[in-house]
Amino acid sequence: MKKLFLLSLFLIAPCYANSVPSWTTGSSNRTENTTQTITRSIVTQKYGSALETYEASNIAVTSASSGGITATDAIFTPNTVTDDWSLSITTRASGTKIEERELMKMLFSLLRKDYIKESGRGKYIYNKNKRYLVGIIKKRVKTLVDIETSIEFKLTKSEKTGFLEGDIVYYWIDKKEKIRIASLKDRELIKYVGHIKKDGKVNLLKNSNLDFDIIVKGECKEDDIVSAHITDWKYSLPEGKILKIIGNKEETNTQIHAILEEYNLPYFFSKEVLKEANKISKKKASSIKRKDLRNTLTFTIDPDDAKDFDDALSFKKLKNNNVEIGIHIADVTHYLEKNTLLDKEAKKRATSVYLSDRVVPMLPEILSNDLCSLNPNEDKNVFSVLVEIDNNFNIISKEFSKCLINSNERMSYQEAQHVIENKTEKLPPDVTITKKKRSLSKELVEAILYLNTVALKLKEKRKNEGSVFFNKEEVRFVVNDQGEPTDYKIKKQKQANFLIEEFMLLANVLVAKKIKEKNRTAVFRVHDYPDEEKIIELERFAKNLGYYVKLSNVKNIN
């Protein structure tokens, strides 16, 4: 059982704002405990009305006492009423006494690490010259990044023990220019999900993404999938508390809910949010202050199982024999007002998430699948980039506008691919969404073929400018009514996919250039330099294939 023992270390002078706390050893209480190892020592100094805490990890004190190694906390804390300072010791050991010489060993350990300094015989003061930097643990506890300068340091095994990715820590750099972590400053309460493995009476939470198990407290059974928080980490394995039992790991529904739980994906919308969404759903699309393109040929191309359609293309021949291509994206902001419950919920979710048997939407379905979806034969508000192309496929002009569209056709990638490959208006049952044969308009087929030609030109241009292309394949699972996978399909990227991709990329590039020209503020995605260890692995891999390349300079690998 964990007990707290207070040793009679007391302040020999009052501690006023910005003064230095000091301690002297007096007669120690002969408590029934022993102190053999300090794994965390916390020194707290008062700066005016603020308190700042530093911990020193892995300070080992060898005891002459028998009974094995014991974990102990030595904590200096101020008395806010009297302004005195005291040293309290927490230990799990029992049955023996703390000797004064053991206390002196602890103080000597703190002295050796420069946390305190001696101000006289048997008297100690906090070392106010000891200054700490603040960093954050990154890359699966491999590196520490200084918060102020963003300089990255590698961590040794001994320094990273007991810390998690995302931990904010105090640290210093020793004379050998090695990183020394002093203490944990702040830790986000992270939720971990895994299955339970019983080891006697101990519950071990196992997660394949973690390099360690977590000892968790709470009622649970073998093979239960649970969520838990880490509450302490002073020994080889962290300790935690079970928050929720999700179910047995053999059940498919449990596995899906485990994913939702691990990534904090919400299961449902609150009644208040749904009420607000229902109210908004009655709003109509409007042509006020919008360019009306409802009479322009417009269509969407999406996967055959898509439930919502957020982008569309339009095609219009101009009198000067040029063509106007419209790249449209649903204007969700027309319906959402700032700082409403719905707006806050959408910000929290950030995006829709697709699982094998369900979608976790960013917005309630009445909005994402209906009001804001570019469904065929419905008036919809959109943001648009309108591009004029000449006969040589050069961009002559571009326009950014809010528009009103009405989609003529909802197509699948498979249907569009059939048109590209066969240049036909007739679609056989095996490629259509409904599995029934149907025909497209001559104008739509002409538009798809023209847009495909433009897309090929855009792709060729990107290739010449150094773009990287990935021939990726996706696996799609076929599930039954119980959510159990029964089959899978390999989804290959074909020209119909590239057609949509090229125009979405074009719109992004044109918008980015517009923002830059107008010196407007925007969010840009910046790729960090690659990990040096991975670059070395890539060098070795390339060498085995017969390519001798030097990639050691991560800042210039082109």
Side-chain angles (χ1 to χ4, degrees):
M1 184 176 177
K2 195 170 184 179
K3 299 177 182 178
L4 184 68
F5 300 90
L6 184 64
L7 293 164
S8 61
L9 283 125
F10 53 86
L11 187 67
I12 59 173
C15 178
Y16 301 105
N18 296 321
S19 63
V20 180
S22 59
W23 303 269
T24 181
T25 55
S27 59
S28 71
N29 295 329
R30 302 295 180 175
T31 51
E32 293 185 354
N33 256 301
T34 185
T35 301
Q36 295 174 339
T37 302
I38 304 174
T39 54
R40 293 259 190 264
S41 295
I42 307 174
V43 183
T44 308
Q45 183 181 11
K46 185 171 181 180
Y47 292 98
S49 60
L51 293 176
E52 193 157 339
T53 302
Y54 301 112
E55 298 180 46
S57 57
N58 302 322
I59 299 178
V61 178
T62 304
S63 171
S65 314
S66 60
I69 299 298
T70 307
T72 307
D73 289 347
I75 309 176
F76 291 103
T77 53
N79 184 316
T80 55
V81 177
T82 64
D83 245 357
D84 291 341
W85 288 68
S86 61
L87 169 67
S88 57
I89 294 179
T90 308
T91 179
R92 285 189 172 90
S94 62
T96 51
K97 297 178 181 179
I98 293 181
E99 303 292 342
E100 188 168 328
R101 60 191 176 88
E102 300 296 337
L103 172 60
M104 294 306 297
K105 285 183 180 180
M106 283 192 290
L107 289 173
F108 179 71
S109 280
L110 296 172
L111 184 67
R112 211 156 37 93
K113 293 289 185 179
D114 290 335
Y115 293 114
I116 60 175
K117 54 185 185 177
E118 202 167 8
S119 63
R121 184 174 178 81
K123 298 178 183 178
Y124 301 90
I125 61 173
Y126 180 81
N127 184 4
K128 66 177 183 179
N129 295 321
K130 184 80 172 179
R131 286 291 176 256
Y132 299 87
L133 303 169
V134 179
I136 183 168
I137 306 293
K138 289 285 190 180
K139 294 183 180 177
R140 296 193 71 178
V141 200
K142 287 184 178 179
T143 63
L144 180 146
V145 178
D146 186 87
I147 286 181
E148 188 175 337
T149 65
S150 297
I151 296 174
E152 189 171 312
F153 304 96
K154 284 189 177 181
L155 292 176
T156 61
K157 186 176 180 180
S158 61
E159 288 303 313
K160 65 186 182 183
T161 300
F163 294 103
L164 302 172
E165 184 170 6
D167 282 353
I168 297 175
V169 298
Y170 290 109
Y171 77 98
W172 80 95
I173 303 173
D174 66 16
K175 294 178 181 179
K176 296 181 179 179
E177 297 190 351
K178 289 185 178 181
I179 297 301
R180 301 296 182 192
I181 296 180
S183 73
L184 178 69
K185 182 178 187 292
D186 189 32
R187 171 176 287 165
E188 183 183 354
L189 205 57
I190 299 172
K191 182 164 54 180
Y192 296 92
V193 176
H195 71 274
I196 294 296
K197 183 74 176 175
K198 294 278 188 176
D199 186 3
K201 294 183 179 181
V202 176
N203 302 321
L204 294 176
L205 184 150
K206 291 184 170 289
N207 182 315
S208 58
N209 293 323
L210 298 177
D211 299 326
F212 50 84
D213 296 335
I214 303 172
I215 300 172
V216 291
K217 295 179 181 178
E219 292 294 326
C220 59
K221 300 175 184 176
E222 178 95 4
D223 291 334
D224 273 351
I225 291 183
V226 304
S227 62
H229 280 152
I230 289 178
T231 56
D232 201 358
W233 194 343
K234 293 183 179 178
Y235 306 102
S236 57
L237 293 179
E239 298 175 12
K241 177 183 178 183
I242 292 176
L243 301 173
K244 182 190 291 186
I245 296 176
I246 302 169
N248 188 277
K249 73 172 186 177
E250 301 301 327
E251 298 173 3
T252 304
N253 203 44
T254 298
Q255 295 287 352
I256 294 294
H257 281 85
I259 295 171
L260 297 172
E261 191 74 23
E262 184 168 9
Y263 292 97
N264 292 311
L265 300 175
Y267 292 49
F268 51 82
F269 290 95
S270 68
K271 290 181 180 179
E272 293 77 13
V273 169
L274 290 174
K275 184 178 179 181
E276 195 173 284
N278 285 324
K279 186 178 178 181
I280 291 174
S281 68
K282 297 172 183 175
K283 292 179 71 173
K284 301 291 184 182
S286 172
S287 61
I288 298 173
K289 295 183 179 180
R290 288 181 181 270
K291 191 169 186 175
D292 193 341
L293 300 179
R294 285 177 290 181
N295 294 324
T296 300
L297 177 64
T298 307
F299 58 95
T300 61
I301 303 178
D302 291 277
D304 54 8
D305 58 351
K307 300 293 188 296
D308 60 277
F309 320 112
D310 55 11
D311 54 66
L313 295 176
S314 64
F315 177 85
K316 180 181 179 181
K317 290 183 178 179
L318 303 176
K319 292 179 180 179
N320 60 2
N321 292 325
N322 289 344
V323 170
E324 180 185 83
I325 300 172
I327 308 161
H328 313 282
I329 189 164
D331 182 3
V332 181
T333 58
H334 174 77
Y335 304 101
L336 292 186
E337 295 181 10
K338 274 188 176 183
N339 297 321
T340 58
L341 287 174
L342 199 55
D343 179 46
K344 291 175 182 178
E345 183 69 20
K347 283 180 181 177
K348 187 168 68 176
R349 295 181 178 228
T351 184
S352 296
V353 179
Y354 293 82
L355 302 177
S356 61
D357 68 336
R358 71 194 72 188
V359 178
V360 182
M362 183 178 72
L363 296 170
E365 288 188 4
I366 197 170
L367 301 181
S368 61
N369 291 7
D370 188 9
L371 186 65
C372 300
S373 179
L374 307 183
N375 302 328
N377 306 311
E378 295 178 10
D379 292 352
K380 297 293 179 180
N381 291 330
V382 291
F383 284 116
S384 305
V385 178
L386 305 174
V387 182
E388 184 179 343
I389 304 284
D390 67 12
N391 292 329
N392 295 317
F393 306 106
N394 298 311
I395 296 176
I396 302 302
S397 65
K398 51 191 176 292
E399 179 185 350
F400 306 89
S401 178
K402 289 184 177 182
C403 298
L404 180 67
I405 65 168
N406 189 301
S407 176
N408 301 89
E409 195 75 53
R410 177 266 199 264
M411 297 189 69
S412 70
Y413 284 117
Q414 197 171 4
E415 290 173 331
Q417 187 64 33
H418 184 83
V419 171
I420 292 170
E421 290 177 355
N422 299 282
K423 300 177 177 58
T424 179
E425 301 162 20
K426 298 182 184 296
L427 299 177
D430 60 317
V431 302
T432 63
I433 300 169
T434 60
K435 299 306 176 187
K436 296 178 181 179
K437 65 178 182 180
R438 70 189 187 100
S439 297
L440 304 174
S441 69
K442 183 179 179 181
E443 292 77 17
L444 180 57
V445 171
E446 181 185 358
I448 292 172
L449 293 175
Y450 180 87
L451 292 173
N452 181 57
T453 303
V454 176
L456 289 170
K457 296 287 183 182
L458 292 171
K459 188 175 182 180
E460 184 66 25
K461 183 182 178 183
R462 286 202 301 118
K463 181 180 179 181
N464 294 335
E465 291 174 349
S467 288
V468 178
F469 296 90
F470 299 96
N471 296 319
K472 57 184 179 179
E473 294 181 352
E474 293 181 17
V475 178
R476 294 223 168 187
F477 293 95
V478 179
V479 297
N480 59 22
D481 294 338
Q482 287 73 45
E484 298 170 336
T486 58
D487 198 1
Y488 70 92
K489 296 178 180 178
I490 302 295
K491 180 188 170 186
K492 294 183 178 181
Q493 295 276 44
K494 295 186 177 181
Q495 191 51 43
N497 301 88
F498 297 137
L499 187 157
I500 295 298
E501 184 180 75
E502 288 303 326
F503 284 106
M504 293 304 122
L505 282 171
L506 176 62
N508 278 318
V509 169
L510 294 176
V511 169
K513 285 181 178 178
K514 182 74 172 179
I515 291 170
K516 191 174 181 181
E517 288 170 5
K518 298 294 182 180
N519 291 319
R520 300 289 293 273
T521 302
V523 177
F524 289 88
R525 184 171 62 183
V526 178
H527 295 280
D528 197 2
Y529 294 118
D531 186 278
E532 287 188 16
E533 291 181 9
K534 291 183 178 179
I535 288 295
I536 293 170
E537 288 176 12
L538 179 60
E539 273 188 8
R540 290 171 181 166
F541 178 74
K543 188 177 181 180
N544 290 335
L545 295 176
Y547 297 97
Y548 295 90
V549 289
K550 190 68 175 175
L551 303 174
S552 56
N553 184 1
V554 298
K555 295 184 179 180
N556 184 22
I557 62 172
N558 294 322

